[in-house]
Amino acid sequence: MADKGEGVYMPHDHIRENSHVSSIEQYHKMYKESVENPEAFWGKIAENFYWKSQCTGKFWEYNYDVRQGEIFIKWMAGATTNVCYNCLDHNIEKGLGDSVAFYWEGNYPGDASQITYNELLKEVCKCANVLINKGVKKGDRVAIYMPMIVELVVAMLACARIGAVHSIVFGGFSADSLAGRILDSKSSVLITADGVYRGEKMLNLKDISDTAIQECQDAGFTVTSCIVVRHLGEKREPGAGGDVEHHPPKRPCIKLQTKWHNDRDCWWHDLMADASDQFEPVWLDAEDPLFMLYTSGSTGKPKGVLHTQAGYMLYAATTTKYVFDYKPGEIYWCTADIGWITGHSYITYGPMLNGATSVIFEGMPLWPDAGRMWEIVDKYKVSKFYTAPTAIRTLMKFGEDYVKKHSRKSLKVLGTVGEPINPEAWLWYYNVIGDKRCSIVDTYWQTETGGHVLTPLPGATPAKPGSATLPFFGQVPAVVNENGEELDGPCEGYLVLKQPWPGQMRTVYGDHQRFERTYFQKFPGYYLTGDGCIRDKDGYYWITGRTDDTMNVSGHLLSTAEIESALIEHSAVAEAAVVSYPHSIKGECVYCFVTLKEGKLFNDALVGELKGKVRQKIGPIAVPEYIQNAPGLPKTRSGKIMRRVLRKIARNQQDLGDISTMADSSVVEVLFQNRPKNV
Ligand code: 6R9
């Protein structure tokens, strides 16, 4: 519980000297103001943005206590602005029109392009006109299911420009998951692409979209328009000319497998060709919604996390500036997919609000070889780099040669996000990737928080490998015990946040009660993160993992209940229980116990089918590593599955703790005997 003692790493002078926050004293001073006088702190930051009209009421207002009535959080209510305008027009007015907003690096080395702020504004205006022509209005939801291409950013910003709420679904999710999200958000327009290659694997996004649209139709909901970006194009005979020419030589072409529905499907490039490149932004209230994004919850159904305009804008911009110590002219690269919150806040909004030049990468770290990331770093002279612990652990396995082949001398700040980083991976990132001269920023946050919560600042915070260190400006963390009592000094317990910050989610789309129940019920007066943590003697925070029924696989939160319900859909399965299991690269992986119906046989074919079921219902990220036959499951007398015991069985730990509430303890021995051979 005390200091984990992996040593302390001080910011290097060359980073400290020109940084926005260049000492821990300066951090403390700014932090104090941010939490004691949020209005002054954020008000000053707000002056850097464009407001059509100023805040009329209270600068911030909230209720965090369910006993006092409905939970609400508001920042700058009454002010009007447009986030897209601040990302584009406002930067162009400041003279950034000709600077590159994004370098796009395709899956195939050599397949690349770039777009300036001026050019991007024109594309966004065209797309805004396209959406308006499709009947999209302020407040309508637009589903986006796209690969990592510039058109994805164009689509997001076009939604923001007209006040539509984008709901981006990660391209790795299955048709069922996409359909569930379209239905929940009632998005009648879907923007997708024909397909994408990731490494050598092709994902046929249009086919998946068609299946999802059909599922929505079967459930009584009509997607009226499906706009398709031609990214891979129709296959033509060599020499036939035409469409094939827009392809760089290496990008393969595909032919769509599914039917084209003339009344519903349209090519993006056809619509864009006819659209005007002018569009006056729709001016929105500070608390109008900006986007929604689904995240796994403890119950099966994903939650549509809703973020609003002004607060999210201030928070995404400010965290980007300070946590990456971003300065004009620097090249920034976040390797996340825009389909996750990290991509929303730290590829699109945060960097653009800082007028940054960023890299968007379509491919993956190991293809064509394990040096791809460092090749890209050298190609664009990336100085601020942001990735996930799972990527670092994967690259570690391939050794240092792939790293050393590339100079990486432009690098200054190396960020991580998504899950706790083990000290070994932290040290490899620091010593090998960063050549011992970069700052590591281990950023702890959530889809719900909109931006960083606990994080070092590169020029100010002494780092400890494995700790997300100290709170960002405006964050007031506390550690509470099971009874909701705040603990002092070094301690371990539930991580809660005591005071709202501008980038906080405002509700679960369509289910405000679920928002209150999930985040504010257990400990009234606090926002519950759902993570456990340790606070050491220096006040540093160490996240210990989830305390609810979710697990973190390769930085992606998965719901045990959602995987269980996918397994139960198989006709042979009577009951299923899912727990997490440690994994050297993914951090955690999925371990399932299944009880079969009478007369059903447990064999390899069934295991294959069950994995297929999870892939179909959720997507490849949720596919179980291990599936074990469970003739009986350990349950309490009231019938609750004891996952705590199952976690021990999965790990082959015989010490089960208190099992006095277990209805039938004889099942346990059988489960220990039935553990899969490959665990
Ligand atoms: C941004 C993002 C959120 C959950 C969060 C926690 C885990 C994220 C972490 C971390 C330890 C870090 N998490 N960053 N745990 N150290 N630096 O990942 O959002 O997908 O909503 O996941 O991820 O458990 O509660 P999201």
Side-chain angles (χ1 to χ4, degrees):
M1 196 172 306
D3 195 331
K4 289 205 172 177
E6 298 284 342
V8 175
Y9 290 74
M10 302 305 286
H12 296 286
D13 286 347
H14 73 102
I15 289 179
R16 200 175 47 72
E17 275 156 12
N18 352 290
S19 61
H20 293 303
V21 184
S22 55
S23 69
I24 196 72
E25 293 74 27
Q26 192 188 347
Y27 157 78
H28 283 303
K29 188 164 163 271
M30 290 174 75
Y31 175 76
K32 192 166 184 293
E33 187 196 9
S34 76
V35 297
E36 286 177 1
N37 194 349
E39 176 161 357
F41 184 85
W42 295 108
K44 220 175 325 163
I45 288 169
E47 286 169 15
N48 300 322
F49 296 95
Y50 178 80
W51 305 93
K52 186 74 179 171
S53 63
Q54 297 297 323
C55 170
T56 47
K58 288 190 177 151
F59 193 85
W60 66 310
E61 215 184 336
Y62 73 104
N63 172 37
Y64 254 30
D65 191 337
V66 275
R67 296 164 305 193
Q68 314 271 321
E70 190 171 280
I71 302 293
F72 71 91
I73 299 133
K74 289 185 191 163
W75 286 83
M76 299 186 73
T80 54
T81 188
N82 183 287
V83 177
C84 170
Y85 186 91
N86 277 292
C87 287
L88 290 166
D89 315 53
H90 194 50
N91 283 323
I92 292 168
E93 282 155 19
K94 287 194 248 173
L96 286 175
D98 290 329
S99 44
V100 172
F102 292 103
Y103 289 109
W104 179 78
E105 175 76 16
N107 180 59
Y108 288 82
D111 189 4
S113 65
Q114 62 184 62
I115 189 163
T116 64
Y117 276 83
N118 276 332
E119 291 162 343
L120 190 52
L121 174 61
K122 288 195 173 156
E123 293 301 297
V124 168
C125 287
K126 282 197 233 170
C127 185
N129 282 307
V130 164
L131 292 175
I132 293 282
N133 289 337
K134 289 288 173 197
V136 179
K137 302 179 304 297
K138 173 184 164 185
D140 290 350
R141 279 78 52 216
V142 173
I144 300 180
Y145 184 64
M146 284 169 89
M148 287 289 285
I149 55 179
V150 171
E151 287 86 342
L152 169 52
V153 176
V154 172
M156 293 171 90
L157 293 174
C159 288
R161 200 162 185 89
I162 67 178
V165 181
H166 57 72
S167 168
I168 303 182
V169 180
F170 169 58
F173 275 122
S174 67
D176 282 12
S177 291
L178 174 59
R181 286 156 171 78
I182 293 174
L183 280 171
D184 185 75
S185 61
K186 300 192 187 58
S187 305
S188 35
V189 172
L190 169 66
I191 309 177
T192 186
D194 48 3
V196 64
Y197 273 90
R198 307 244 309 139
E200 273 158 7
K201 193 165 163 269
M202 201 266 287
L203 261 178
N204 199 327
L205 297 172
K206 172 65 165 67
D207 289 358
I208 300 170
S209 297
D210 281 356
T211 310
I213 292 172
Q214 186 58 47
E215 282 179 34
C216 294
Q217 194 65 52
D218 296 345
F221 181 80
T222 306
V223 172
T224 51
S225 301
C226 177
I227 304 174
V228 188
V229 173
R230 184 154 66 201
H231 182 52
L232 297 182
E234 295 274 317
K235 195 169 176 63
R236 296 285 173 96
E237 292 308 313
D243 290 337
V244 86
E245 280 170 14
H246 86 273
H247 281 301
K250 286 186 173 165
R251 198 190 307 170
C253 295
I254 56 160
K255 195 166 173 56
L256 293 177
Q257 300 298 312
T258 47
K259 206 174 126 218
W260 192 260
H261 300 254
N262 281 326
D263 51 338
R264 182 195 79 196
D265 296 344
C266 16
W267 286 111
W268 166 284
H269 58 268
D270 286 342
L271 300 172
M272 294 285 278
D274 297 335
S276 154
D277 62 8
Q278 306 283 317
F279 191 97
E280 170 73 8
V282 173
W283 301 106
L284 302 159
D285 187 88
E287 284 300 334
D288 279 335
L290 174 63
F291 68 83
M292 53 192 292
L293 181 60
Y294 287 88
T295 187
S296 302
S298 326
T299 61
K301 197 171 169 246
K303 299 175 285 226
V305 168
L306 190 95
H307 284 286
T308 56
Q309 308 280 331
Y312 176 83
M313 174 166 82
L314 294 184
Y315 205 67
T318 309
T319 45
T320 303
K321 174 177 168 181
Y322 289 111
V323 174
F324 302 109
D325 192 35
Y326 187 80
K327 290 182 286 287
E330 290 177 330
I331 311 296
Y332 166 92
W333 180 24
C334 165
T335 70
D337 193 288
I338 292 181
W340 306 110
I341 190 67
T342 304
H344 282 62
S345 298
Y346 301 115
I347 296 179
T348 303
Y349 291 112
M352 291 200 71
L353 290 164
N354 282 281
T357 298
S358 308
V359 176
I360 292 188
F361 178 42
E362 180 189 39
M364 45 208 283
L366 296 181
W367 197 82
D369 67 39
R372 184 73 194 274
M373 305 248 258
W374 321 122
E375 180 195 320
I376 297 173
V377 163
D378 281 359
K379 175 174 176 186
Y380 297 104
K381 310 255 175 316
V382 171
S383 63
K384 310 295 160 77
F385 178 77
Y386 197 24
T387 196
T390 184
I392 299 165
R393 290 192 296 262
T394 307
L395 294 170
M396 262 172 93
K397 288 224 161 167
F398 286 82
E400 297 185 11
D401 289 353
Y402 285 105
V403 183
K404 302 281 178 197
K405 254 200 265 176
H406 306 278
S407 108
R408 292 158 289 110
K409 70 172 191 292
S410 54
L411 290 172
K412 289 201 176 103
V413 176
L414 303 174
T416 83
V417 57
E419 54 179 312
I421 180 164
N422 45 314
E424 194 195 357
W426 194 103
L427 290 168
W428 193 77
Y429 204 22
Y430 182 83
N431 291 327
V432 179
I433 305 303
D435 277 333
K436 303 185 175 145
R437 47 168 186 78
C438 298
S439 289
I440 307 278
V441 289
D442 172 2
T443 62
Y444 164 83
W445 60 294
Q446 310 175 305
T447 305
E448 293 88 335
T449 67
H452 305 138
V453 172
L454 303 171
T455 175
L457 301 185
T461 316
K464 298 186 192 182
S467 167
T469 73
L470 300 170
F472 186 74
F473 303 136
Q475 292 291 350
V476 188
V479 184
V480 300
N481 64 17
E482 190 59 44
N483 304 323
E485 292 150 355
E486 261 185 56
L487 304 172
D488 291 327
C491 56
E492 179 165 5
Y494 295 91
L495 176 66
V496 296
L497 303 171
K498 293 173 71 166
Q499 192 169 296
W501 61 98
Q504 183 170 19
M505 77 183 282
R506 303 298 197 256
T507 192
V508 170
Y509 181 79
D511 196 348
H512 195 67
Q513 280 183 351
R514 187 168 179 200
F515 173 62
E516 298 186 332
R517 219 171 39 241
T518 310
Y519 305 103
F520 295 95
Q521 193 110 306
K522 190 173 168 88
F523 303 124
Y526 299 100
Y527 166 83
L528 179 71
T529 62
D531 287 300
C533 84
I534 289 170
R535 187 171 53 213
D536 71 17
K537 63 177 177 15
D538 299 321
Y540 275 44
Y541 291 86
W542 304 74
I543 302 295
T544 52
R546 300 292 306 175
T547 58
D548 56 10
D549 288 330
T550 60
M551 63 177 89
N552 195 321
V553 177
S554 297
H556 306 315
L557 275 197
L558 300 176
S559 147
T560 53
E562 200 181 3
I563 301 170
E564 285 161 7
S565 66
L567 293 169
I568 289 166
E569 281 198 13
H570 191 286
S571 59
V573 176
E575 200 166 27
V578 171
V579 297
S580 71
Y581 185 82
H583 188 281
S584 66
I585 288 178
K586 299 177 180 178
E588 291 183 329
C589 65
V590 178
Y591 191 121
C592 310
F593 294 85
V594 291
T595 306
L596 301 186
K597 291 182 185 156
E598 274 302 307
K600 300 289 177 186
L601 223 58
F602 189 89
N603 54 26
D604 288 351
L606 178 72
V607 168
E609 287 171 28
L610 292 174
K611 289 185 177 177
K613 200 80 199 169
V614 176
R615 184 187 302 272
Q616 175 213 335
K617 299 304 290 183
I618 306 173
I621 47 171
V623 172
E625 206 80 15
Y626 306 108
I627 299 183
Q628 136 155 38
N629 186 15
L633 289 168
K635 290 185 184 169
T636 61
R637 281 173 228 284
S638 61
K640 279 207 177 104
I641 295 174
M642 299 176 81
R643 286 195 180 67
R644 167 176 72 76
V645 172
L646 291 174
R647 262 192 292 274
K648 295 256 180 173
I649 295 170
R651 287 161 175 72
N652 206 12
Q653 294 166 347
Q654 305 287 333
D655 155 36
L656 295 181
D658 178 9
I659 53 164
S660 57
T661 57
M662 200 184 295
D664 174 10
S665 54
S666 69
V667 299
V668 168
E669 197 178 323
V670 181
L671 291 180
F672 272 116
Q673 281 161 13
N674 276 356
R675 292 178 70 257
K677 302 276 168 291
N678 57 339
V679 199

